[in-house]
Amino acid sequence: MELLHSRDVEFDIIEYLKKPPTRETLEQIIDMLDGPAADLVRKDKRFKELGLNADDYAEKKTVAALLLKHPELMQRPIVIRGKRAIIARPPEKLATLL
């Protein structure tokens, strides 16, 4: 957010845990990403606690289904500009979008 503020970029914050995105929205975000759909899934401690296998969540449909069930696994922050989206971790990745 600091980078966006420093460049005077207006943005909206979506609290995805309070209002999870729909399947359609998730699939649109996946289509806007430069990388594979699997990049949208955090393979962290929670992922392991759930006993999930990363190979099972490589396609758009399976990633969307997983994130509908477990929105806390969504990689973030996601910045969308026009028809492109980027997972802005680390924040320096934003430079390609701005």
Side-chain angles (χ1 to χ4, degrees), residues 41-54 57 66 70 72-73:
V41 178
R42 293 173 56 141
K43 283 96 176 165
D44 59 5
K45 179 181 172 185
R46 177 73 176 133
F47 188 88
K48 291 176 182 131
E49 287 173 354
L50 292 167
L52 301 174
N53 179 346
Y57 303 99
L66 175 65
H70 298 286
E72 72 276 12
L73 293 177

PDB file of all heavy atoms in Angstrom, residues 41-54 57 66 70 72-73:
ATOM      1  N   VAL A  41      -2.523 -19.815  -4.847  1.00  0.00           N
ATOM      2  CA  VAL A  41      -2.716 -20.597  -3.613  1.00  0.00           C
ATOM      3  C   VAL A  41      -1.469 -20.503  -2.739  1.00  0.00           C
ATOM      4  O   VAL A  41      -0.362 -20.788  -3.195  1.00  0.00           O
ATOM      5  CB  VAL A  41      -3.003 -22.084  -3.934  1.00  0.00           C
ATOM      6  CG1 VAL A  41      -3.159 -22.886  -2.649  1.00  0.00           C
ATOM      7  CG2 VAL A  41      -4.244 -22.207  -4.796  1.00  0.00           C
ATOM      8  N   ARG A  42      -1.688 -20.131  -1.488  1.00  0.00           N
ATOM      9  CA  ARG A  42      -0.591 -20.115  -0.507  1.00  0.00           C
ATOM     10  C   ARG A  42      -0.356 -21.537  -0.025  1.00  0.00           C
ATOM     11  O   ARG A  42      -1.265 -22.174   0.491  1.00  0.00           O
ATOM     12  CB  ARG A  42      -0.971 -19.249   0.692  1.00  0.00           C
ATOM     13  CG  ARG A  42      -1.099 -17.801   0.371  1.00  0.00           C
ATOM     14  CD  ARG A  42      -1.630 -17.049   1.561  1.00  0.00           C
ATOM     15  NE  ARG A  42      -0.777 -17.275   2.725  1.00  0.00           N
ATOM     16  CZ  ARG A  42      -0.470 -16.356   3.609  1.00  0.00           C
ATOM     17  NH1 ARG A  42      -0.945 -15.143   3.485  1.00  0.00           N
ATOM     18  NH2 ARG A  42       0.288 -16.640   4.627  1.00  0.00           N
ATOM     19  N   LYS A  43       0.852 -21.994  -0.188  1.00  0.00           N
ATOM     20  CA  LYS A  43       1.204 -23.340   0.289  1.00  0.00           C
ATOM     21  C   LYS A  43       1.938 -23.189   1.616  1.00  0.00           C
ATOM     22  O   LYS A  43       3.101 -23.500   1.746  1.00  0.00           O
ATOM     23  CB  LYS A  43       2.068 -24.096  -0.718  1.00  0.00           C
ATOM     24  CG  LYS A  43       1.279 -24.649  -1.880  1.00  0.00           C
ATOM     25  CD  LYS A  43       1.345 -23.721  -3.013  1.00  0.00           C
ATOM     26  CE  LYS A  43       0.663 -24.248  -4.254  1.00  0.00           C
ATOM     27  NZ  LYS A  43       0.460 -23.160  -5.197  1.00  0.00           N
ATOM     28  N   ASP A  44       1.215 -22.714   2.601  1.00  0.00           N
ATOM     29  CA  ASP A  44       1.796 -22.410   3.898  1.00  0.00           C
ATOM     30  C   ASP A  44       1.399 -23.439   4.952  1.00  0.00           C
ATOM     31  O   ASP A  44       0.952 -24.543   4.618  1.00  0.00           O
ATOM     32  CB  ASP A  44       1.389 -21.001   4.336  1.00  0.00           C
ATOM     33  CG  ASP A  44      -0.122 -20.837   4.439  1.00  0.00           C
ATOM     34  OD1 ASP A  44      -0.867 -21.828   4.270  1.00  0.00           O
ATOM     35  OD2 ASP A  44      -0.581 -19.710   4.710  1.00  0.00           O
ATOM     36  N   LYS A  45       1.547 -23.063   6.195  1.00  0.00           N
ATOM     37  CA  LYS A  45       1.229 -23.955   7.314  1.00  0.00           C
ATOM     38  C   LYS A  45      -0.217 -24.445   7.242  1.00  0.00           C
ATOM     39  O   LYS A  45      -0.491 -25.628   7.439  1.00  0.00           O
ATOM     40  CB  LYS A  45       1.477 -23.206   8.625  1.00  0.00           C
ATOM     41  CG  LYS A  45       1.179 -23.999   9.860  1.00  0.00           C
ATOM     42  CD  LYS A  45       1.430 -23.162  11.107  1.00  0.00           C
ATOM     43  CE  LYS A  45       0.950 -23.904  12.336  1.00  0.00           C
ATOM     44  NZ  LYS A  45       1.057 -23.087  13.542  1.00  0.00           N
ATOM     45  N   ARG A  46      -1.146 -23.548   6.940  1.00  0.00           N
ATOM     46  CA  ARG A  46      -2.563 -23.921   6.861  1.00  0.00           C
ATOM     47  C   ARG A  46      -2.792 -24.946   5.752  1.00  0.00           C
ATOM     48  O   ARG A  46      -3.542 -25.907   5.909  1.00  0.00           O
ATOM     49  CB  ARG A  46      -3.431 -22.680   6.645  1.00  0.00           C
ATOM     50  CG  ARG A  46      -4.897 -22.964   6.492  1.00  0.00           C
ATOM     51  CD  ARG A  46      -5.525 -23.349   7.812  1.00  0.00           C
ATOM     52  NE  ARG A  46      -6.957 -23.515   7.633  1.00  0.00           N
ATOM     53  CZ  ARG A  46      -7.643 -24.545   8.101  1.00  0.00           C
ATOM     54  NH1 ARG A  46      -7.063 -25.467   8.817  1.00  0.00           N
ATOM     55  NH2 ARG A  46      -8.926 -24.638   7.881  1.00  0.00           N
ATOM     56  N   PHE A  47      -2.163 -24.759   4.625  1.00  0.00           N
ATOM     57  CA  PHE A  47      -2.255 -25.684   3.498  1.00  0.00           C
ATOM     58  C   PHE A  47      -1.836 -27.077   3.952  1.00  0.00           C
ATOM     59  O   PHE A  47      -2.520 -28.064   3.677  1.00  0.00           O
ATOM     60  CB  PHE A  47      -1.364 -25.184   2.355  1.00  0.00           C
ATOM     61  CG  PHE A  47      -1.512 -25.945   1.068  1.00  0.00           C
ATOM     62  CD1 PHE A  47      -2.474 -25.582   0.145  1.00  0.00           C
ATOM     63  CD2 PHE A  47      -0.664 -27.000   0.763  1.00  0.00           C
ATOM     64  CE1 PHE A  47      -2.593 -26.267  -1.061  1.00  0.00           C
ATOM     65  CE2 PHE A  47      -0.784 -27.689  -0.433  1.00  0.00           C
ATOM     66  CZ  PHE A  47      -1.753 -27.317  -1.343  1.00  0.00           C
ATOM     67  N   LYS A  48      -0.728 -27.135   4.680  1.00  0.00           N
ATOM     68  CA  LYS A  48      -0.227 -28.419   5.185  1.00  0.00           C
ATOM     69  C   LYS A  48      -1.148 -29.007   6.243  1.00  0.00           C
ATOM     70  O   LYS A  48      -1.368 -30.216   6.279  1.00  0.00           O
ATOM     71  CB  LYS A  48       1.186 -28.242   5.728  1.00  0.00           C
ATOM     72  CG  LYS A  48       2.195 -27.957   4.642  1.00  0.00           C
ATOM     73  CD  LYS A  48       3.571 -27.694   5.191  1.00  0.00           C
ATOM     74  CE  LYS A  48       4.508 -27.357   4.038  1.00  0.00           C
ATOM     75  NZ  LYS A  48       5.279 -26.177   4.266  1.00  0.00           N
ATOM     76  N   GLU A  49      -1.695 -28.153   7.129  1.00  0.00           N
ATOM     77  CA  GLU A  49      -2.624 -28.624   8.162  1.00  0.00           C
ATOM     78  C   GLU A  49      -3.849 -29.304   7.551  1.00  0.00           C
ATOM     79  O   GLU A  49      -4.385 -30.251   8.109  1.00  0.00           O
ATOM     80  CB  GLU A  49      -3.104 -27.455   9.030  1.00  0.00           C
ATOM     81  CG  GLU A  49      -2.085 -26.921   9.986  1.00  0.00           C
ATOM     82  CD  GLU A  49      -2.555 -25.653  10.690  1.00  0.00           C
ATOM     83  OE1 GLU A  49      -3.621 -25.113  10.366  1.00  0.00           O
ATOM     84  OE2 GLU A  49      -1.826 -25.200  11.583  1.00  0.00           O
ATOM     85  N   LEU A  50      -4.272 -28.795   6.405  1.00  0.00           N
ATOM     86  CA  LEU A  50      -5.431 -29.361   5.721  1.00  0.00           C
ATOM     87  C   LEU A  50      -5.087 -30.649   4.975  1.00  0.00           C
ATOM     88  O   LEU A  50      -5.965 -31.308   4.426  1.00  0.00           O
ATOM     89  CB  LEU A  50      -6.033 -28.334   4.755  1.00  0.00           C
ATOM     90  CG  LEU A  50      -6.695 -27.126   5.421  1.00  0.00           C
ATOM     91  CD1 LEU A  50      -6.976 -26.036   4.397  1.00  0.00           C
ATOM     92  CD2 LEU A  50      -7.975 -27.538   6.130  1.00  0.00           C
ATOM     93  N   GLY A  51      -3.817 -31.006   4.951  1.00  0.00           N
ATOM     94  CA  GLY A  51      -3.378 -32.232   4.279  1.00  0.00           C
ATOM     95  C   GLY A  51      -3.505 -32.166   2.766  1.00  0.00           C
ATOM     96  O   GLY A  51      -3.735 -33.179   2.113  1.00  0.00           O
ATOM     97  N   LEU A  52      -3.346 -30.968   2.213  1.00  0.00           N
ATOM     98  CA  LEU A  52      -3.528 -30.781   0.779  1.00  0.00           C
ATOM     99  C   LEU A  52      -2.242 -31.075   0.015  1.00  0.00           C
ATOM    100  O   LEU A  52      -1.147 -30.959   0.551  1.00  0.00           O
ATOM    101  CB  LEU A  52      -3.994 -29.349   0.502  1.00  0.00           C
ATOM    102  CG  LEU A  52      -5.306 -28.954   1.183  1.00  0.00           C
ATOM    103  CD1 LEU A  52      -5.597 -27.482   0.966  1.00  0.00           C
ATOM    104  CD2 LEU A  52      -6.459 -29.818   0.688  1.00  0.00           C
ATOM    105  N   ASN A  53      -2.414 -31.436  -1.238  1.00  0.00           N
ATOM    106  CA  ASN A  53      -1.303 -31.737  -2.140  1.00  0.00           C
ATOM    107  C   ASN A  53      -1.291 -30.671  -3.234  1.00  0.00           C
ATOM    108  O   ASN A  53      -2.275 -30.516  -3.963  1.00  0.00           O
ATOM    109  CB  ASN A  53      -1.505 -33.125  -2.730  1.00  0.00           C
ATOM    110  CG  ASN A  53      -0.411 -33.517  -3.690  1.00  0.00           C
ATOM    111  OD1 ASN A  53       0.380 -32.692  -4.139  1.00  0.00           O
ATOM    112  ND2 ASN A  53      -0.373 -34.795  -4.027  1.00  0.00           N
ATOM    113  N   ALA A  54      -0.199 -29.944  -3.367  1.00  0.00           N
ATOM    114  CA  ALA A  54      -0.101 -28.859  -4.341  1.00  0.00           C
ATOM    115  C   ALA A  54      -0.401 -29.320  -5.767  1.00  0.00           C
ATOM    116  O   ALA A  54      -0.973 -28.571  -6.563  1.00  0.00           O
ATOM    117  CB  ALA A  54       1.278 -28.215  -4.273  1.00  0.00           C
ATOM    118  N   TYR A  57      -3.910 -28.815  -7.131  1.00  0.00           N
ATOM    119  CA  TYR A  57      -4.431 -27.458  -7.295  1.00  0.00           C
ATOM    120  C   TYR A  57      -3.569 -26.667  -8.264  1.00  0.00           C
ATOM    121  O   TYR A  57      -2.956 -25.665  -7.922  1.00  0.00           O
ATOM    122  CB  TYR A  57      -4.526 -26.762  -5.917  1.00  0.00           C
ATOM    123  CG  TYR A  57      -5.382 -27.571  -4.983  1.00  0.00           C
ATOM    124  CD1 TYR A  57      -4.813 -28.411  -4.039  1.00  0.00           C
ATOM    125  CD2 TYR A  57      -6.761 -27.550  -5.105  1.00  0.00           C
ATOM    126  CE1 TYR A  57      -5.606 -29.198  -3.212  1.00  0.00           C
ATOM    127  CE2 TYR A  57      -7.555 -28.326  -4.291  1.00  0.00           C
ATOM    128  CZ  TYR A  57      -6.974 -29.150  -3.346  1.00  0.00           C
ATOM    129  OH  TYR A  57      -7.760 -29.939  -2.544  1.00  0.00           O
ATOM    130  N   LEU A  66     -10.888 -24.621  -4.433  1.00  0.00           N
ATOM    131  CA  LEU A  66     -10.165 -24.613  -3.160  1.00  0.00           C
ATOM    132  C   LEU A  66     -10.333 -23.276  -2.448  1.00  0.00           C
ATOM    133  O   LEU A  66     -10.601 -23.229  -1.238  1.00  0.00           O
ATOM    134  CB  LEU A  66      -8.680 -24.899  -3.388  1.00  0.00           C
ATOM    135  CG  LEU A  66      -7.799 -24.806  -2.142  1.00  0.00           C
ATOM    136  CD1 LEU A  66      -8.179 -25.884  -1.130  1.00  0.00           C
ATOM    137  CD2 LEU A  66      -6.337 -24.901  -2.514  1.00  0.00           C
ATOM    138  N   HIS A  70     -11.669 -22.484   1.150  1.00  0.00           N
ATOM    139  CA  HIS A  70     -10.662 -22.016   2.109  1.00  0.00           C
ATOM    140  C   HIS A  70     -10.068 -20.682   1.620  1.00  0.00           C
ATOM    141  O   HIS A  70      -8.916 -20.637   1.155  1.00  0.00           O
ATOM    142  CB  HIS A  70      -9.539 -23.040   2.266  1.00  0.00           C
ATOM    143  CG  HIS A  70      -9.986 -24.350   2.787  1.00  0.00           C
ATOM    144  ND1 HIS A  70     -10.326 -24.547   4.107  1.00  0.00           N
ATOM    145  CD2 HIS A  70     -10.179 -25.538   2.162  1.00  0.00           C
ATOM    146  CE1 HIS A  70     -10.693 -25.805   4.279  1.00  0.00           C
ATOM    147  NE2 HIS A  70     -10.622 -26.425   3.110  1.00  0.00           N
ATOM    148  N   GLU A  72      -8.743 -18.327   3.069  1.00  0.00           N
ATOM    149  CA  GLU A  72      -7.521 -17.935   3.770  1.00  0.00           C
ATOM    150  C   GLU A  72      -6.259 -18.399   3.036  1.00  0.00           C
ATOM    151  O   GLU A  72      -5.160 -17.926   3.317  1.00  0.00           O
ATOM    152  CB  GLU A  72      -7.519 -18.461   5.212  1.00  0.00           C
ATOM    153  CG  GLU A  72      -7.305 -19.954   5.349  1.00  0.00           C
ATOM    154  CD  GLU A  72      -8.544 -20.840   5.197  1.00  0.00           C
ATOM    155  OE1 GLU A  72      -9.600 -20.344   4.750  1.00  0.00           O
ATOM    156  OE2 GLU A  72      -8.444 -22.035   5.524  1.00  0.00           O
ATOM    157  N   LEU A  73      -6.420 -19.309   2.083  1.00  0.00           N
ATOM    158  CA  LEU A  73      -5.273 -19.808   1.322  1.00  0.00           C
ATOM    159  C   LEU A  73      -4.946 -18.942   0.101  1.00  0.00           C
ATOM    160  O   LEU A  73      -4.015 -19.244  -0.636  1.00  0.00           O
ATOM    161  CB  LEU A  73      -5.517 -21.249   0.875  1.00  0.00           C
ATOM    162  CG  LEU A  73      -5.586 -22.294   1.989  1.00  0.00           C
ATOM    163  CD1 LEU A  73      -5.901 -23.666   1.413  1.00  0.00           C
ATOM    164  CD2 LEU A  73      -4.287 -22.329   2.786  1.00  0.00           C
TER     165      LEU A  73
END
